[in-house]
Amino acid sequence: GSGAFVPAVVVGTGYGAAVTALRLGEAGVGTLMLEMGQLWNRPGPDGKVFCGMPDPDRRSTWFKNRTEAPIASFLWLDVVNRTIEPYAGVLDRVNFGQMGVYVGRGVGGGSLVNGGIAATPRRSYFEEVLPQVDAGEMYGRHFPRALAMLRANEVAADWFEQTEWYRFARVAREAAAKAGMRTRFVPNVYDFAYMRREAAGEVAKSALAAEVMYGNNHGKQSLDKTYLAAALGTGKVTVETLHRVTAVRREEDGTYVLSVDRIDAEGRRLARKEIGCRYLFLGAGSLGSTELLVRARDTGTLPDLGAEVGAGWGPNGNVMAGRANPLLHPTGARQSAIAATCVDDWDHPAAPVFADVAPLPAGFETGISMYLAVTRNPERGTLVHDGATDRVRLRWEREQNAPAVAAAKSFFDRMNKANGTDYRYDLFGPRAKAFGDDFCYHPLGGCVLGRATDAYGRVAGYRHLYVNDGALIPGSIGVNPFVTITALAERNVERLVAEDIAR
Ligand code: FDA
């Protein structure tokens, strides 16, 4: 293939990657970002960049024959998913045997598809999970900087209290209060000022048109509008899209050589390239960064990688559940697709739960309160390389989610008891099931800080090889994770630019 050399390569364009590229660019380091997904800036035949959730087309999904929405059924009817052509769509569900992992594909990674919830973890839990990180510095500098750069903002309380679009969240707050649980606002990167103008009919609707998981056409301040725009603005950073890194090796002189497949949006391979660099930063996410390293270790291209690579993976204790509301407490046919509140019961001694009050913007009265619960589950999985398929496999048994389900059950049982309500059993597949516990939105770990790497993401055994994304966080952080991934990446790259990069 064609060869090229650049000073630094960043694999991926999600949170960790975007932070890394910006700070490298500011330091004057020529940096090439390689992203397997597309740049989402061109309208399709319908005039929209992204397709909506109610009637998804091929733009929704990364190379599948059918969409794979998390809430696939309603009254056990398969009403949500659609048959589609395989395409380089924006949302992927990586299906391991016992766990489906949702990830974003495209320039901006998870920021294109996620709910935008910009939560900062409880300091005491952060200190427990990442004891080698100076929490004073994180909470004093890096978290505030991350929140500002990401443009996190909160819904205005007066508007929240009266708008029909957040009736579902007020109903959920009342149910929580009856069980003695505290609901609070949670920041989001969706521009709430824009949302209010949507409600007033002044601008095109996005959050108020049920857009979220397959991309937002307006309003969301995803990474392409924040960190990545700033990174490109340094003039030192370039991005190549539809470039999938397949392998990494190291030459005698220390050059890292990446094997890269360039594909088109229909999945045809257009070229195989080799790209050399002096500094290699992996920001391909928990699954992506870990996959590259376990493959390199087990195929012998980076043989000095240790046994910690692949270990310490977890789904951040994710469990989804829906409650059936009494008829007298309608959640409303109109719901913003962007969450604005959470029920914070993390201080519960036996069953700590942080639950996002999730919208279910079906366009009709569902009578459902939906939640994504983040729980504290000590179980961990391991990512391993499968020599037969050359893909990564996840060692994770369904039973390992039992502690997460137990905590969620304790939490929602208390809420149901106080309100005389019950679970909805028809949302998570063909059989009656109260909890969505076989998929997650928050994959974390695989190259854990201080174990597979040093305290700043330098990969053990290899100079100038770094991980700087969700793979560093050991499986759990107690809230939605992207603010932590961003702040930790800021902390790490600041140190690496100061100490490792020759200028
Ligand atoms: P991230 O996954 O963002 O980026 C990795 C990038 O690398 C991707 O663009 C991928 O295509 C690319 N890549 C991977 N392998 C590659 C390879 N071999 N070659 C080239 N490119 C490669 N979090 C939160 O805090 N609040 C929220 O509201 C939500 N909601 C939410 C909803 C949904 C539907 C999802 C799927 C996820 C969330 N999340 C979330 C989770 C959040 O989006 C996630 O934690 C971060 O995006 C992870 O950031 P990273 O930088 O680790 O990687």
Side-chain angles (χ1 to χ4, degrees):
S2 55
F5 183 88
V6 287
V9 163
V10 175
V11 183
T13 56
Y15 293 90
V19 170
T20 304
L22 170 60
R23 302 309 174 196
L24 289 172
E26 285 177 341
V29 183
T31 301
L32 173 63
M33 305 186 82
L34 298 172
E35 168 58 53
M36 67 199 271
Q38 304 198 64
L39 175 63
W40 289 92
N41 66 349
R42 263 179 310 135
D46 59 355
K48 291 180 179 175
V49 172
F50 297 108
C51 68
M53 287 203 296
D55 193 15
D57 61 34
R58 66 178 192 168
R59 289 171 289 183
S60 66
T61 307
W62 182 256
F63 294 110
K64 304 255 163 122
N65 294 304
R66 196 165 165 75
T67 63
E68 295 182 12
I71 298 164
S73 66
F74 192 77
L75 294 171
W76 291 285
L77 297 171
D78 183 3
V79 290
V80 180
N81 284 311
R82 294 280 185 284
T83 298
I84 49 170
E85 304 159 49
Y87 183 71
V90 73
L91 180 69
D92 196 1
R93 175 170 163 142
V94 182
N95 288 312
F96 299 110
Q98 315 261 306
M99 174 64 76
V101 182
Y102 286 97
V103 292
R105 301 278 181 227
V107 176
S111 78
L112 298 168
V113 297
N114 68 30
I117 296 170
T120 302
R122 195 68 58 93
R123 178 163 172 164
S124 55
Y125 192 58
F126 178 89
E127 288 173 350
E128 189 183 323
V129 170
L130 290 165
Q132 60 282 83
V133 176
D134 180 341
E137 201 184 275
M138 287 295 293
Y139 285 77
R141 287 181 53 219
H142 303 300
F143 277 118
R145 178 161 53 150
L147 289 165
M149 284 292 299
L150 294 167
R151 297 191 206 142
N153 67 140
E154 268 186 23
V155 68
D158 59 343
W159 185 68
F160 173 86
E161 293 302 341
Q162 50 86 19
T163 179
E164 59 183 333
W165 299 99
Y166 281 112
R167 177 190 298 262
F168 76 95
R170 299 195 299 270
V171 166
R173 178 178 62 187
E174 207 180 307
K178 279 198 185 141
M181 296 169 184
R182 191 167 67 101
T183 300
R184 58 179 173 79
F185 292 126
V186 65
N188 201 291
V189 300
Y190 196 94
D191 182 351
F192 282 109
Y194 185 88
M195 194 190 295
R196 289 180 70 162
R197 299 181 59 209
E198 291 177 50
E202 295 166 10
V203 291
K205 286 189 172 62
S206 181
L208 304 192
E211 289 184 354
V212 58
M213 224 172 48
Y214 301 137
N216 282 92
N217 285 301
H218 310 280
K220 192 203 258 179
Q221 303 167 114
S222 47
L223 288 168
D224 48 322
K225 305 192 172 56
T226 60
Y227 272 103
L228 291 168
L232 294 177
T234 66
K236 299 300 267 182
V237 177
T238 51
V239 183
E240 292 278 16
T241 59
L242 295 168
H243 277 56
R244 190 169 84 90
V245 179
T246 59
V248 183
R249 67 172 199 273
R250 190 171 175 274
E251 309 272 77
E252 288 288 311
D253 68 355
T255 302
Y256 289 98
V257 180
L258 303 161
S259 305
V260 182
D261 281 354
R262 185 162 81 82
I263 62 168
D264 68 15
E266 278 77 37
R268 286 176 288 257
R269 188 164 68 214
L270 303 178
R272 273 200 149 142
K273 297 189 185 178
E274 291 207 323
I275 296 171
C277 63
R278 183 169 157 112
Y279 304 100
L280 176 54
F281 292 85
L282 302 183
S286 167
L287 297 187
S289 293
T290 309
E291 172 167 22
L292 287 171
L293 292 182
V294 292
R295 179 182 296 133
R297 180 189 61 202
D298 296 354
T299 61
T301 64
L302 295 176
D304 296 339
L305 291 172
E308 285 288 351
V309 169
W313 186 88
N316 201 23
N318 281 184
V319 179
M320 279 204 98
R323 293 176 40 254
N325 288 305
L327 286 175
L328 291 174
H329 298 273
T331 47
R334 296 186 137 189
Q335 300 194 7
S336 170
I338 292 293
T341 57
C342 62
V343 184
D344 190 344
D345 202 31
W346 196 258
D347 289 327
H348 190 279
V353 171
F354 174 93
D356 303 327
V357 175
L360 191 57
F364 52 87
E365 175 61 49
T366 63
I368 299 174
S369 285
M370 276 306 300
Y371 306 86
L372 173 63
V374 173
T375 65
R376 181 178 175 152
N377 182 355
E379 290 288 331
R380 294 293 173 264
T382 305
L383 289 155
V384 295
H385 181 251
D386 183 339
T389 61
D390 197 31
R391 294 312 300 261
V392 74
R393 276 195 297 125
L394 176 64
R395 287 206 188 113
W396 171 273
E397 305 294 326
R398 180 72 57 78
E399 303 78 76
Q400 289 182 271
N401 239 348
V405 171
K409 185 171 185 324
S410 160
F411 175 88
F412 292 114
D413 280 358
R414 274 177 277 139
M415 211 182 273
N416 281 331
K417 188 156 180 256
N419 289 277
T421 51
D422 196 1
Y423 294 95
R424 286 287 295 235
Y425 296 95
D426 57 327
L427 303 172
F428 304 109
R431 282 177 301 128
K433 200 168 169 358
F435 300 105
D437 66 338
D438 57 353
F439 63 89
C440 73
Y441 300 128
H442 301 164
L444 294 171
C447 305
V448 170
L449 193 83
R451 292 183 11 208
T453 76
D454 78 349
Y456 291 91
R458 299 178 178 103
V459 176
Y462 287 91
R463 207 164 117 83
H464 297 164
L465 175 60
Y466 312 92
V467 171
N468 206 18
D469 61 22
L472 294 174
I473 297 173
S476 167
I477 197 65
V479 293
N480 313 61
F482 74 60
V483 171
T484 308
I485 294 169
T486 304
L488 190 65
E490 287 277 22
R491 164 201 180 262
N492 295 344
V493 73
E494 182 175 275
R495 173 67 64 112
L496 300 174
V497 164
E499 290 186 352
D500 288 30
I501 311 271
R503 272 175 291 154

